[in-house]
Amino acid sequence: MVYEEYGKNIAIMRYDDPNNWVKLLEDTVKKFPDRPYIGQKDEKGVFQWITYKIFSKRVDNLRAALEKIGIIKGDSVGIIANNRMEWILGAMATFGLIAKWVPMYEKELIDTWKYIIKDSQIKVLFVANNEIYEKMKHFADEIPTLEKIYIIESEADNSLATLEKMGEQHPIPPKEPLFSDIACIIYTSGTTGDPKGVILSHGNVTNNMMAGRNIYPELNEKCVALSILPWAHSYAQTAELCLFTYLGASIGITDVEHMSEDLSTVNPTHLISVPRLFNKIYDGIHRLMDEEGGIKKKLFYMAKEAAKKKRETGKAGLKFKLLDKVVFGKVRARFGTRLVCSLTASAKTELEIANFFYDIGVPIYDCYGLSETSPALCMNCPSFHKLGSVGKPIEKVKLEITKEGEIIAFAPFVMQGYLNKPEKTAAIMVEDENGIKGVKTGDIGHFDEEGYVFITGRIKNEYKLLNGKYVHPAAIEEYIKLIPWVANCMVYGDGKEYNVALIVPDMEKAKLYAEAVNLSLPPEKVIQIPEVQILIGKEIKAHLKGKFGGYEIPMKFYFTTEDMTLENSMLTQTFKLKRRNVLKKYGEHLENLYKKS
């Protein structure tokens, strides 16, 4: 069926395009057997790369071993591990038996692992290391379906290496899944309850990947990604892992701690990222310039102004060309020498930050989607790009907007449903007049006159003040975090007379402040000084004035030095606030702000 996008026919998937992970890998191995595929660091910190041909052989071995120990079509195979070569090795071996792949995060609550293993009826589980194994080995006695646990970083009898060797003796060809066969179960972050298992078929993921790929025709096998987002999330799994495997391209694996040094080592052409990472880079650059002071700071801000003028007029004068080379050239060098662009999703990039990176020649293309849609629905790209928007709908996507402003999305990559949750599935899934599956996104948005989509809030996160006015806290929070004093925050005020906010101050800024005013106190003590809290509060209010309505600006603040992190379960894996968890800890403090005069 041909979908309509603003009255225009959009080409359907070509017959030779892969509609499952198995064919996708086989096609790539035939075309690019000797190209480097996955690169990860060895014990000395040196990147080691595996070619597609060697990787494919290891997939054959592991697939045979999984069948030998009893994995059949429809079974669930799970993994608790960060991104690594063995992650996709296990996934591809599982796909070749038409079994289901269930990934979990290393940084997760033990109870959440247990819930997912039980809910998805995992039969065989891979874990990254002995540390994780020791935390959950007792699951085998408590969950009837869990038969075997294998450790990746181990030489014991239950190691992945031992399992692969078993498979060498029993080669079997892969089974090719159908479009509708289940590929993976992606568990959502559980910001509003227990995690929900999003059921995605092979066709869901590969269709979505191809629809996104088709608006980036310049992508090819020579592209290189630096992987930082977890493949256990649908965004990185589709936009990075599936896409770059299809291309025959290369993926180097890093983490937040080592991203800066690995950018120069891997020298990527593309980054699949989230706005929070660029926010940190933006803050770091501006903090460094302010600390340097003098001519460096003056040249930096002159360059920013010249770049802004170029963006607004479309003309690059001599002043911009000189400053771009002297100032912005050094900033670009931090990303390597060949970065073309970065795709960001999960949240909207603040316009101020998007403009900055666009001006310096490192464009950020905001995209939009849900785990429930495999995930991409809208994307910016070099051919059509509007800062502040999330782009236009990609191929085969039809969006409708209700009277309340909620976006309803219809596409062939809409999920099969939530695992074991028929009521929640029924609450979100709909059909159009042609019987095409769709989902209620829960996002509020609108189209502009050119068909670009703008996301303005979440129905669930939206709340009403006592004056009857609605507040979208996420937009206010992102803007507050642009202030050098603020590392993180949460705005609160549902049913209240005015908003208040929880503020996590930036400890580095507090340290610099103490030095500037000759205070011999650690940053944690500096933040407790009432005058400092008043100063930060005034900066926040001044920063928001003119950007938001007076009723949206927080009137009072509660300060804490404990950041919201993955470890304390206040952030999701893509750095969204788990508001329910934050309120469990700080709700009483925020309520008390309304009691004080």
Side-chain angles (χ1 to χ4, degrees):
M1 176 169 291
V2 176
Y3 286 73
E4 297 288 319
E5 181 196 36
Y6 313 117
K8 298 178 182 178
N9 288 335
I10 301 299
I12 62 173
M13 197 169 185
R14 296 184 296 272
Y15 287 109
D16 60 341
D17 288 334
N19 64 6
N20 65 76
W21 280 93
V22 174
K23 185 176 188 300
L24 182 144
L25 178 62
E26 285 183 335
D27 289 351
T28 297
V29 172
K30 288 176 184 176
K31 289 186 287 187
F32 307 110
D34 298 319
R35 281 202 58 77
Y37 179 28
I38 303 293
Q40 60 187 24
K41 290 179 180 177
D42 60 19
E43 62 279 0
K44 296 180 180 178
V46 178
F47 274 91
Q48 302 296 335
W49 295 83
I50 188 171
T51 65
Y52 278 92
K53 182 178 180 179
I54 295 174
F55 173 81
S56 179
K57 177 58 179 173
R58 291 187 64 175
V59 171
D60 292 343
N61 293 341
L62 185 55
R63 180 180 62 247
L66 288 175
E67 185 189 58
K68 183 71 175 175
I69 62 174
I71 295 298
I72 61 174
K73 179 179 179 180
D75 282 344
S76 293
V77 178
I79 188 169
I80 301 174
N82 293 334
N83 294 2
R84 55 190 304 154
M85 185 278 295
E86 294 86 355
W87 194 105
I88 185 59
L89 175 67
M92 287 297 189
T94 299
F95 296 150
L97 296 173
I98 318 184
K100 295 171 286 193
W101 185 242
V102 186
M104 288 165 276
Y105 305 104
E106 282 190 31
K107 291 182 179 179
E108 190 58 273
L109 299 175
I110 295 175
D111 285 346
T112 301
W113 289 340
K114 188 173 184 178
Y115 174 87
I116 292 172
I117 293 167
K118 191 173 182 179
D119 188 56
S120 60
Q121 297 185 316
I122 286 174
K123 191 172 179 179
V124 171
L125 176 67
F126 298 108
V127 299
N129 51 48
N130 279 297
E131 182 182 354
I132 293 173
Y133 177 72
E134 290 298 322
K135 291 178 181 178
M136 47 72 60
K137 63 182 180 182
H138 60 281
F139 289 176
D141 299 322
E142 300 169 3
I143 302 174
T145 60
L146 183 58
E147 296 181 1
K148 297 181 185 296
I149 303 173
Y150 292 95
I151 307 170
I152 295 171
E153 297 174 14
S154 173
E155 297 179 0
D157 291 341
N158 65 334
S159 70
L160 173 64
T162 300
L163 191 61
E164 285 189 69
K165 288 179 182 177
M166 179 197 301
E168 290 181 19
Q169 313 304 318
H170 307 279
I172 60 165
K175 298 176 176 67
E176 186 168 325
L178 300 174
F179 182 105
S180 57
D181 283 324
I182 298 171
C184 53
I185 301 173
I186 301 290
Y187 277 83
T188 62
S189 56
T191 56
T192 57
D194 287 333
K196 298 188 291 289
V198 177
I199 306 170
L200 299 178
S201 74
H202 282 268
N204 287 152
V205 177
T206 54
N207 247 246
N208 192 261
M209 178 274 291
M210 287 303 301
R213 183 262 181 278
N214 287 344
I215 66 170
Y216 281 85
E218 72 279 5
L219 291 169
N220 57 46
E221 74 279 6
K222 296 178 182 179
C223 293
V224 178
L226 182 62
S227 180
I228 191 167
L229 297 183
W231 295 333
H233 191 277
S234 63
Y235 170 42
Q237 187 176 134
T238 300
E240 181 177 271
L241 188 55
C242 187
L243 172 60
F244 277 65
T245 303
Y246 166 79
L247 295 171
S250 305
I251 305 172
I253 298 172
T254 189
D255 54 39
V256 174
E257 184 181 350
H258 300 96
M259 181 179 176
S260 180
E261 62 192 70
D262 291 343
L263 276 167
S264 59
T265 303
V266 175
N267 202 10
T269 60
H270 294 77
L271 290 176
I272 307 300
S273 186
V274 291
R276 183 182 171 97
L277 294 176
F278 280 92
N279 292 356
K280 286 182 174 293
I281 296 170
Y282 175 90
D283 289 342
I285 292 170
H286 283 75
R287 181 185 294 133
L288 179 62
M289 290 298 104
D290 290 340
E291 289 173 10
E292 291 275 359
I295 188 64
K296 285 187 178 181
K297 179 178 178 179
K298 186 175 181 180
L299 286 173
F300 176 74
Y301 284 99
M302 285 174 60
K304 280 189 68 174
E305 189 59 35
K308 179 183 177 183
K309 186 174 181 181
K310 172 181 177 290
R311 173 169 26 95
E312 293 173 346
T313 65
K315 297 177 181 178
L318 180 60
K319 182 178 180 181
F320 169 78
K321 292 178 180 178
L322 289 173
L323 290 170
D324 178 67
K325 184 175 182 180
V326 172
V327 179
F328 291 154
K330 293 179 180 178
V331 177
R332 286 193 294 271
R334 294 184 173 206
F335 295 90
T337 61
R338 55 183 181 180
L339 185 66
V340 176
C341 69
S342 174
L343 272 65
T344 61
S346 169
K348 184 179 73 172
T349 304
E350 275 298 325
L351 191 58
E352 179 179 330
I353 294 176
N355 280 333
F356 173 76
F357 283 102
Y358 180 83
D359 289 346
I360 70 172
V362 183
I364 300 173
Y365 296 120
D366 269 359
C367 308
Y368 165 67
L370 316 170
S371 294
E372 290 84 350
T373 56
S374 305
L377 293 170
C378 304
M379 297 175 71
N380 279 291
C381 68
S383 301
F384 47 88
H385 181 210
K386 182 173 286 190
L387 295 174
S389 81
V390 292
K392 295 183 178 182
I394 60 176
E395 288 184 355
K396 310 177 191 178
V397 170
K398 181 175 73 172
L399 300 183
E400 294 179 358
I401 298 180
T402 67
K403 290 186 298 182
E404 295 77 22
E406 182 180 10
I407 297 172
I408 311 293
F410 301 89
F413 21 87
V414 166
M415 67 173 180
Q416 309 301 299
Y418 292 126
L419 185 67
N420 302 326
K421 288 182 168 53
E423 297 85 4
K424 291 187 181 295
T425 299
I428 191 175
M429 294 191 72
V430 295
E431 285 189 0
D432 70 2
E433 64 278 4
N434 297 312
I436 303 301
K437 288 192 302 183
V439 291
K440 301 174 183 177
T441 66
D443 291 306
I444 300 170
H446 65 270
F447 298 105
D448 71 2
E449 67 284 352
E450 296 179 280
Y452 286 90
V453 178
F454 290 78
I455 306 298
T456 55
R458 286 281 296 168
I459 287 177
K460 288 182 181 178
N461 290 342
E462 177 188 66
Y463 59 78
K464 188 188 290 187
L465 296 172
L466 273 180
N467 61 12
K469 293 185 180 293
Y470 284 96
V471 172
H472 300 289
I476 306 170
E477 290 157 359
E478 288 303 316
Y479 207 70
I480 289 175
K481 286 187 287 188
L482 295 181
I483 300 171
W485 267 109
V486 180
N488 219 329
C489 69
M490 189 184 84
V491 173
Y492 176 77
D494 188 9
K496 305 295 184 181
E497 194 173 341
Y498 52 83
N499 280 332
V500 297
L502 172 69
I503 301 296
V504 181
D506 186 287
M507 292 297 107
E508 186 62 29
K509 177 68 175 178
K511 179 183 176 183
L512 292 173
Y513 175 84
E515 292 172 355
V517 297
N518 296 315
L519 275 176
S520 56
L521 291 173
E524 294 79 8
K525 296 292 184 182
V526 173
I527 296 305
Q528 295 174 13
I529 299 172
E531 289 80 7
V532 172
Q533 295 185 0
I534 292 170
L535 169 66
I536 297 172
K538 285 182 177 179
E539 285 208 20
I540 291 172
K541 291 177 182 179
H543 182 66
L544 296 178
K545 188 176 181 180
K547 298 290 184 180
F548 294 90
Y551 66 92
E552 295 175 289
I553 298 174
M555 294 293 103
K556 296 180 180 179
F557 306 92
Y558 179 80
F559 294 85
T560 177
T561 56
E562 180 192 15
D563 201 356
M564 303 159 199
T565 65
L566 294 173
E567 287 77 9
N568 61 24
S569 200
M570 293 188 196
L571 288 183
T572 72
Q573 299 290 336
T574 50
F575 308 112
K576 294 177 183 175
L577 282 177
K578 289 189 176 183
R579 295 179 185 277
R580 182 184 61 168
N581 290 1
V582 177
L583 285 174
K584 275 184 182 179
K585 180 157 189 176
Y586 295 105
E588 185 178 348
H589 297 293
L590 293 171
E591 284 290 336
N592 286 339
L593 292 175
Y594 293 100
K595 298 177 184 177
K596 298 175 183 178
S597 59

